[in-house]
Amino acid sequence: MIGTAGQRRPRKIREQCGSCPDRFARDKRQVVMNDSDTTEEESSTDEEERWKDVARAAEIPAEYYNIQKLVKYIKAGNQTATIVSLCCLQDYDLRVQINQFAIQDIGGLDVLVNILECNDTKCCLGALTVLADITLNIDIRKTIVDLDGIPLIVDILNSSMKDLKTMAAETLANVSKVRLARKYVRQCGGISKLVDLLDIKTSILQTPRNQLTAEEIEFLDMARAGSRALWTLADSKHNMEQMRKSGIVPLMANLLKSVHIDVVIPIMGTVKKCSSEPKFQLAITTEGMIADIVTHLNSENIDLKVECSTALYKCAFDATTRDLVREAGGLAPLVSILKDKSVRDNKPLIRGATGAIWMCAMSDENVEQLDDMNVVHHLVGLLSDECDEVLTNVTGALSECVRFKQNRKAVLNSNGLPAMVALLNSSHAPLLENLATAIKECAEDPESMRILEQLDAVRLVWSLLKNTSPRVQANAAYAICPCVRNATDSAELVRSLVGAMELVVGLLKSKEIMVLSAVCAAIATIALDQTNLAILTDLRVIYKLADLVNTTDDMLRMNLAAAVAACACFGNNTEELGRLRTVTPIVTYMTSENPMVHRTTAMALEKLSMDPQNCITMHQSGVVPFLLECIGSTNKELQLAAAGCLRNIRELALRAEEYMLKIDDD
C-alpha cells in the first residue's frame, strides 16, 4: 500500500497496491549517473529560481476533496476501479493549481508513477493523461523526477500503441523542463525514441487535419508530442548532440514543410535551439531548411514568427546562409516586423527580427536590398527601445548598414546620431561594442562628424577605453581613429580630454591582441600632430611599442607598424627604436601574405631608415628583395614607402663607398 499523504519512502522495493495485476512484475531500470549536463546554461527552462509556492485558498473547494477520494479509490481499488477513477479525474481541470495540490497532498504522485509499471495499457494511458496535465506544475515535475518516473515514461515509448507514446512524450515535454530530467531522458535512451516519433509521411504533414483519417491523426499527434518533448530537451548541449546523431536533421526538414502549425511551432523551436551549434547550422543549410523557415516567417502566428526570426538570427552568421535568406525572400518579412508597431511590445519577436537583420546586413548584397526597404529609418526608430538585447541588435544592424555612404546620410537625416550618442552611457557591453563600431563608420562622414562633435561624442567614446570588456575597448579605440582624423581641430580635441593620451598608452599593457591592435591604430592617428606626438613620446610610448614587435598576428603587425611609422619621426625616436632592436622584427613583417601589412611595414621601415645604423641592420636582415618586390605593387603608398627606404639604404651605401674611395686615395 502506498504510504499516507506527503510521505515518501525508498522505491527500490515497492509493495503492490492492488489496483492492477502484476503491477511490479519487472524491476525498474536504474539510471546511471556517469555524466553531467555541465554545458547547460544556468538560465535554462527549469524555472527553479522563478517558481514560488502559491498559497492554498482560504476556502478549499469541494473539488479538492472529490479528487482526493478518487485517488483513494485508485490506491485501494481493483483494475476496473482504477480505470474508472482515472477517467473521473480527467473530468476535473487538472491545470488548476488547487486540484494539482489535491493529488500531491494525498500521495497521488506515487500512485500515478506506480501505475506506469503495470502491464495494463488502459491504466497506463489514464495515468499518463493525468500526469501530462499536472506536470505543468514545476513542483510536481521535480517530484516525478525524485520518484524515478523518467525511466518508466521512457520505457512506454517502446509501446506499439500510438496514444500511449503520444501521452508519454507529452509528459516528458513538461517534466524535462527540470534539468535533471533532461539528463535522465538522455541516459535512458529516450532521445532516439523521441526522434523516431518524428518519422511521419509527408502526405500527412501536407494534408489539413479535417481531411485526415483517424489513424493519420494519431501519427500527427504523436509527431507533435515528440516535437514538444525534443524542444524542451534541446536546452542541453549533450542532448542536442544526441539528437543529431539520432538523425533528427532530415526529420526536422520534413516537418518544417507541414501545414499544421501545432507541429511546426515546436519543431521550429527545436531548430532555433539547435541552430546555436555549428554542426547544426551547417546541417540546417545543407538540408534546405532556410527556405521553409522564411516561408513560415510570413505566417500570421506570432509564436511561429518568433521562432523563425530567432532561428535565422542564429544561423545567419554564415555567408552562405545569408545569401539563402535573401534568395528565399526573407529580408522583406523581417523588415515588415520592424514596421509593425503592434508587435513592439513582443520583445522576443523584435529581438529575433533585428538580430536576423543584423546578421544578414553583413553581406553587401543584402544591404542593397535592405536599403530599398528604407531599413535604416526603421532601425533608428527602435533606438528608443528599453530592451538592451534589442538595442544591441539594432545598433549592430546599423553598424553594418553605415559602412555605405548613403546609409550614413540616412542615419543623419533620420536624426539617429543623438539617439546613438545617448546610448553611449549604457553599461551593457555588447551594446557598447556595436555603438562604437557604428559611430566609427558615421565619423567618416564630415557632416555627421560635425554633429558628433556638437554632441560631445568623442569624449564619451574615449571613456569606453575604461570599460572592462576587451571588445568594447578595441572597438572604442578603432572609433577614435576617424573621430580624431575628421574632427575640426583634432589636435586640440585630443588635448582637451584630460588624461586621454595616458589612457591610450596605458592600454598597450593589455593582454588582448585585439585591444593592442586597436590602440596602435589610435596612436598612429593621434601622433599625426607633432604636439600630441611630443606628449606621447614623454609618456614613453616607443618603449611600449618596442615590447610588442615580436608578434605573429597580422592585424597587430599592421597597426603596430603604422604606430611606429608615426612615432619614429620625432626627436631621437628613430635612433632609440633601433637601439631597442625593433628593426629586425619589423623586417620580418614583410613575409606576411597580407598586403596591408606590407604597406604599413614599408612606411615604418622608411622612417627607421633615416638612421644610418638602422639602414645597416635592415640590409643585413635581407630587406632589399622585399622592398624591390613592393615597388611593383599597385598600392601607391606601398610603392613610395618602399622606394624611400631603398633610397635611404642606397644613399648610405654610396656615402660609405665614397668614404672608402677617399681612404684609398689618401
Side-chain angles (χ1 to χ4, degrees), residues 362-375:
M362 291 181 179
S363 296
D364 294 354
E365 296 84 355
N366 288 348
V367 175
E368 292 178 11
Q369 278 199 15
L370 291 169
D371 287 349
D372 295 337
M373 303 173 201
N374 198 19
V375 72

Side-chain angles (χ1 to χ4, degrees), residues 218-239:
E218 286 184 338
F219 277 112
L220 186 65
D221 289 342
M222 191 169 62
R224 185 200 65 240
S227 299
R228 288 191 64 244
L230 290 167
W231 186 9
T232 307
L233 289 164
D235 280 320
S236 162
K237 289 185 178 180
H238 290 306
N239 288 352

Side-chain angles (χ1 to χ4, degrees), residues 488-508:
T488 305
D489 187 353
S490 60
E492 185 57 36
L493 174 65
V494 175
R495 291 193 290 273
S496 67
L497 302 174
V498 178
M501 283 186 271
E502 289 88 340
L503 181 58
V504 171
V505 174
L507 283 176
L508 289 175

Side-chain angles (χ1 to χ4, degrees), residues 547-573:
D547 290 338
L548 303 175
V549 292
N550 293 301
T551 179
T552 57
D553 185 85
D554 274 355
M555 187 59 69
L556 178 54
R557 282 176 166 185
M558 180 179 73
N559 292 324
L560 176 58
V564 168
C567 295
C569 56
F570 181 83
N572 66 339
N573 285 354

